[in-house]
Amino acid sequence: MLLTEIDHVAIAVKDLEAAIDYYRRAFGAEVEHREIVESDGVEEALLKVAESYVQLLTPTNENSPVAKSIEKRGEGLHHIGYRVENCAVALQAMIDAGAIALDKAPRPGSRGTTVAFIHPKSSFGTLIELVQE
Ligand code: MC0
């Protein structure tokens, strides 16, 4: 079994401050980590839930994949991050199982992670991010 944890559930939002405030008022959730990842055109706020995170994501420019997603599909669930021991091994296992890799090789994600994305069309409509801590 290559999956060790649900790393994060990513939710695309237009207004990051409003979303953070909503989670704070509703659940008392606090931001554990915040980061702008320019290479992906996103700003994230991570809310820790046990050993996983809710990742609130907002675009930082109009060419961001998250901007496109909000434009075409509206706000909401954007992808799921599966935590794995070894991203390269899990990526190859997914390719062998028929997945279409959006990243041909593992690359840097936020908070020092190593990640790779899988196309939703090859994974039952779910954009998957493999995350190695
Ligand atoms: C698009 N589709 C999705 C989807 N985005 N389905 C489920 N979840 C999504 N998020 C569907 C569309 O509805 C469409 O279906 C088909 O996929 C192709 O969509 P498209 O409009 O042609 O494609 P694009 O140009 O919008 O690109 C989608 C794609 C892209 C997933 C390829 O967003 C991508 O490369 N994402 C990987 C990188 C990423 O998302 N970075 C931001 C997070 P139909 O049926 O109409 O054909 S970075 C991040 O989160 C980092 C910082 C981290 O956690 O460490």
Side-chain angles (χ1 to χ4, degrees), residues 15-61:
D15 184 337
L16 190 57
E17 303 309 328
I20 291 168
D21 182 60
Y22 178 69
Y23 273 76
R24 184 184 295 120
R25 286 187 291 108
F27 302 118
E30 295 294 340
V31 175
E32 168 152 320
H33 180 82
R34 199 159 166 162
E35 185 171 337
I36 292 173
V37 184
E38 271 311 338
S39 47
D40 274 288
V42 296
E43 180 169 6
E44 70 167 14
L46 291 177
L47 313 175
K48 197 151 194 251
V49 182
E51 298 308 315
S52 306
Y53 299 97
V54 171
Q55 181 188 52
L56 301 173
L57 264 188
T58 202
T60 54
N61 65 68

Side-chain angles (χ1 to χ4, degrees), residues 83-95:
R83 196 174 298 153
V84 296
E85 208 58 53
N86 183 316
C87 189
V89 168
L91 177 60
Q92 191 56 53
M94 286 211 72
I95 291 168

